[in-house]
Amino acid sequence: MTPLIDPFARPITYLRVSVTDRCDFRCTYCMSEHMQFLPKKDLLTLEELDRLCSAFIGLGVEKLRITGGEPLVRKGIMTFFRAMSRHLGTGALKELTLTTNGSQLSRFAAELADCGVRRVNVSLDTLVADKFAAITRWGRLDQVMEGIVAAKAAGLRVKINTVALKGFNEDELFALLDWCAGEGHDLTFIEVMPMGEMGEEMRLDQYWPLKDLRARLAERFTLTELAERTGGPARYVRIGETGQKVGFITPLTHNFCESCNRVRLTCTGELYMCLGQEDMADLRAPLRASPDDALVGQAIRAAIARKPKGHDFDYSRQHVSGQVSRHMSHTGG
Ligand code: SAM
Ligand code: SF4
């Protein structure tokens, strides 16, 4: 089987799958308070998700990241993780992982580890309970903290993802860093992105460029740039004084597209070839049209042949251009 290579000679080896658009939180930068969710009938079933992901793995995808919405609120999701673990068993899949808000981790951490998950990304923007309740609208910090403890106890490596928000967690930069160092968690900061229709005002207000955040870190610590690349928008530094590795995801201010190795599948079977572009391919129709995977394989190849060179986000003119109207919870970030 020829692997998936896009028109710019980039091998596609990484699939991010949003298994639900629903969530038990309503983070202000991600969702509006009253979200309209998709009718359940539009969702791919767990069996269909299995077929699609397996088709991608058959075409050379080696890394699968499960996301959402909140992936761990999807009913029966452990059946899906269990099913995917068979591809770890054959060696076709090298890594099975997830991005979660952590709320359900105390229930599922041990089972995830048993399915072959080794690392988990947990989103956490603040260590202060009141601020946590405000930014997530519906979340409770202690629940997430318990989840993180459970993940660690199950032997999962935890990476904390923190969205950098001006006027919100600027004052917690060093507290977050210290806490992660103490707990042995890696830490990555994410620059807030213009997703959804939540109003330009708020977006620009919250925008805290990571180059400013990084400059703040450099005032206190010696930062050494690491060569490590993941094919995505993350860059890493080592903090000389603590040995900690800190990541920066700056999709708006950096051009990371040349090394892009990933595509994103939504819970309805839409394949987005680029996070910053509207173009997508419907994989649900070919999947449902035939019980064997020939049609869907062709549809995947045709989609990859349309993968664009890069995205169009641009904050430079102080308004959000290249804005994409879908929410992060749709494509899973
Ligand atoms: N619910 C899970 C979680 O929160 O980790 C997975 C889905 S969430 C959409 C994936 C990541 O996207 C989270 O780390 C979240 O903080 C981030 N995110 C959501 N909206 C964002 C935005 N507008 N800009 C930057 N990151 C965003
Ligand atoms: Fe839910 Fe994650 Fe979006 Fe927060 S960032 S509302 S936890 S999907």
Side-chain angles (χ1 to χ4, degrees):
M1 190 69 73
T2 357
L4 295 172
I5 312 263
D6 83 355
F8 305 95
R10 297 170 297 193
I12 306 305
T13 54
Y14 180 9
L15 177 67
R16 299 172 68 104
V17 187
S18 173
V19 294
T20 176
D21 62 331
R22 287 160 203 257
C23 187
D24 52 345
F25 292 0
R26 291 289 180 280
C27 303
T28 55
Y29 49 75
C30 178
M31 291 193 183
S32 60
E33 189 145 21
H34 305 284
M35 287 290 285
Q36 282 284 347
F37 292 111
L38 295 163
K40 290 232 167 83
K41 67 169 174 41
D42 288 354
L43 298 196
L44 297 176
T45 64
L46 294 174
E47 293 73 26
E48 287 171 332
L49 278 168
D50 181 344
R51 261 185 77 197
L52 256 184
C53 292
S54 301
F56 273 99
I57 294 164
L59 293 171
V61 161
E62 295 180 336
K63 177 171 174 182
L64 210 55
R65 177 174 294 280
I66 311 307
T67 172
E70 174 46 41
L72 297 180
V73 302
R74 170 111 193 217
K75 206 165 155 216
I77 194 63
M78 282 304 138
T79 311
F80 174 73
F81 274 99
R82 184 67 63 191
M84 288 302 103
S85 71
R86 74 181 185 275
H87 298 299
L88 290 171
T90 65
L93 189 62
K94 304 270 186 299
E95 187 172 24
L96 175 61
T97 182
L98 72 155
T99 300
T100 172
N101 65 22
S103 69
Q104 309 300 315
L105 269 180
S106 49
R107 271 166 72 201
F108 293 129
E111 207 176 338
L112 286 167
D114 195 49
C115 291
V117 173
R118 295 288 165 258
R119 299 192 299 164
V120 50
N121 288 1
V122 182
S123 304
L124 180 67
D125 303 328
T126 171
L127 296 169
V128 180
D130 291 351
K131 285 167 74 177
F132 187 84
I135 199 82
T136 61
R137 291 200 188 98
W138 294 4
R140 277 192 7 251
L141 181 64
D142 55 356
Q143 189 185 2
V144 172
M145 287 300 185
E146 281 164 24
I148 293 173
V149 169
K152 204 172 151 182
L156 301 177
R157 239 195 114 60
V158 175
K159 189 179 80 162
I160 301 295
N161 279 342
T162 300
V163 176
L165 296 163
K166 198 172 192 163
F168 178 78
N169 54 14
E170 275 179 279
D171 58 341
E172 286 188 74
L173 178 60
F174 295 105
L176 279 160
L177 210 66
D178 284 351
W179 176 73
C180 286
E183 296 293 320
H185 307 320
D186 286 331
L187 174 61
T188 289
F189 292 100
I190 309 177
E191 201 160 73
V192 78
M193 288 193 265
M195 306 294 281
E197 301 102 7
M198 274 162 292
E200 225 169 84
E201 286 308 308
M202 180 178 145
R203 261 307 102 73
L204 288 171
D205 259 17
Q206 292 186 324
Y207 183 53
W208 182 19
L210 290 196
K211 71 170 176 19
D212 295 356
L213 185 156
R214 199 182 145 135
R216 289 267 299 280
L217 286 181
E219 286 168 15
R220 197 174 295 188
F221 296 120
T222 323
L223 310 182
T224 312
E225 191 89 33
L226 299 178
E228 188 172 327
R229 292 283 151 92
T230 58
R235 296 289 176 268
Y236 297 93
V237 299
R238 178 85 58 202
I239 299 195
E241 289 75 0
T242 64
Q244 246 175 315
K245 193 173 91 172
V246 176
F248 302 97
I249 299 185
T250 54
L252 301 168
T253 51
H254 254 269
N255 193 354
F256 58 90
C257 304
E258 71 284 350
S259 61
C260 185
N261 59 357
R262 61 200 59 196
V263 287
R264 293 172 166 82
L265 183 67
T266 71
C267 54
T268 56
E270 294 168 343
L271 186 73
Y272 283 88
M273 282 69 83
C274 173
L275 180 62
Q277 302 273 1
E278 300 280 5
D279 186 33
M280 58 89 175
D282 171 37
L283 299 181
R284 190 179 56 187
L287 188 76
R288 290 187 175 169
S290 152
D292 82 55
D293 292 336
L295 271 185
V296 81
Q298 280 167 24
I300 292 172
R301 285 195 187 280
I304 300 300
R306 298 209 312 259
K307 186 168 160 67
K309 194 165 180 199
H311 64 65
D312 301 326
F313 287 128
D314 181 11
Y315 264 118
S316 57
R317 281 171 294 127
Q318 280 302 294
H319 89 279
V320 184
S321 71
Q323 176 153 349
V324 172
S325 60
R326 63 185 189 272
H327 289 261
M328 283 290 266
S329 51
H330 191 54
T331 38

